Amino acid sequence: MRDLHDLETLLKSRVPIVVIETHEEARVLKLFDRIGARLRMTVYRWTVTEGIRELNRLPSHDLKASQPTEVLAEIKSTRASGIYVLSDFHPYLDDPIHTRLLRDIALRQAEGDHTVVLLSHQVTIPPEIERNAARYELSVPDRDHLRELVLEEAREGSRRNGGRNVRTSRTYLDRLVETLLGLPLDEARRLTRGAIEDDGAITEEDLPDVMQAKFDLDTLATEAKGFSGS
């Protein structure tokens, strides 16, 4: 709920470009689907493989604005308000034409009320449009959210295992939740599912593997930040 509220507030502030760095693309798209409904704004999604289309609409065989220059030109020219989520647009930000188009869109926001969302694992914003952009960092789940996630995965594990309950205890469930703290939602779900699928249980034996996996993820994230800053 925090992300829903904070992103909605950010969009209401009329920031023309929002930057979200994450691997949790599906989570972000769900958030914008809900925000679009709340603000009564159409949400569009662009990928280089499917072009631009309304979020949750099936792509047509006739790709519309599939190329980066085309989609930015279309956003610039339209007067209808909307939220445009551009997935994996980061390789195209080095092109001065794209930078200029994004700046034009930002400067003309009052005419069309557009918000462009740059969604990717890593985004470097050209200095020409830095003042027009705001970064948003997704929240990590708290204990209550993680506990519900673990219980949800346990229910799913039981269903896949013919209705047999996933074996655990409150102690090991609580310790798993503590171990998962600080991880993105998708990674916490993946590690929980791995622990359950291994033996149909959440036990003390699962915790070291989860802790090691979390350590490896933290190390990779630190190295990636160091590389991007060098």
Side-chain angles (χ1 to χ4, degrees):
M1 291 300 294
R2 186 192 117 187
D3 286 319
L4 186 67
H5 173 269
D6 290 353
L7 271 173
E8 184 176 331
T9 301
L10 184 60
L11 265 63
K12 286 180 177 177
S13 73
R14 299 179 64 82
V15 173
I17 301 172
V18 176
V19 180
I20 303 179
E21 291 186 339
T22 181
H23 290 280
E24 298 185 273
E25 181 175 285
R27 178 183 172 192
V28 173
L29 294 177
K30 287 180 181 178
L31 282 169
F32 277 105
D33 186 34
R34 295 179 65 184
I35 290 170
R38 288 160 67 104
L39 298 181
R40 297 184 180 179
M41 295 181 71
T42 304
V43 182
Y44 300 90
R45 183 196 180 197
W46 175 88
T47 66
V48 73
T49 54
E50 296 183 350
I52 189 168
R53 58 184 172 90
E54 285 189 35
L55 187 62
N56 296 328
R57 291 280 185 89
L58 292 175
S60 64
H61 294 293
D62 182 22
L63 293 183
K64 186 177 182 182
S66 62
Q67 296 306 307
T69 306
E70 294 174 344
V71 68
L72 293 179
E74 182 168 318
I75 296 170
K76 176 184 173 180
S77 65
T78 186
R79 292 296 178 266
S81 63
I83 302 167
Y84 297 84
V85 182
L86 309 184
S87 297
D88 293 332
F89 201 84
H90 60 283
Y92 310 110
L93 292 174
D94 291 335
D95 190 321
I97 294 177
H98 299 156
T99 300
R100 183 65 246 184
L101 281 168
L102 281 167
R103 193 174 184 195
D104 289 343
I105 292 167
L107 293 174
R108 297 173 62 178
Q109 190 197 39
E111 300 176 29
D113 193 16
H114 305 142
T115 300
V116 175
V117 181
L118 300 176
L119 170 61
S120 185
H121 74 289
Q122 187 173 332
V123 182
T124 301
I125 294 296
E128 296 93 329
I129 57 174
E130 276 185 330
R131 296 185 64 177
N132 306 113
R135 291 183 177 270
Y136 184 82
E137 185 173 346
L138 290 178
S139 65
V140 293
D142 59 17
R143 285 180 178 82
D144 290 340
H145 198 168
L146 286 171
R147 185 177 180 83
E148 179 55 38
L149 180 149
V150 172
L151 291 174
E152 178 185 330
E153 288 301 316
R155 289 191 292 268
E156 283 296 307
S158 174
R159 184 184 60 80
R160 290 191 297 269
N161 199 27
R164 283 178 289 180
N165 289 336
V166 172
R167 291 180 292 106
T168 189
S169 68
R170 181 168 183 174
T171 297
Y172 295 136
L173 192 148
D174 288 345
R175 286 177 62 185
L176 177 60
V177 168
E178 290 296 318
T179 302
L180 295 172
L181 279 172
L183 285 176
L185 193 66
D186 283 0
E187 293 295 348
R189 186 180 300 280
R190 182 178 65 83
L191 294 183
T192 300
R193 188 170 297 174
I196 292 172
E197 289 295 326
D198 182 44
D199 55 4
I202 299 173
T203 63
E204 186 173 14
E205 286 72 23
D206 294 311
L207 299 177
D209 290 339
V210 174
M211 291 177 67
Q212 182 61 51
K214 180 182 178 182
F215 175 80
D216 293 341
L217 288 168
D218 290 342
T219 301
L220 286 172
T222 301
E223 291 175 350
K225 287 182 180 179
F227 180 76
S228 63
S230 60

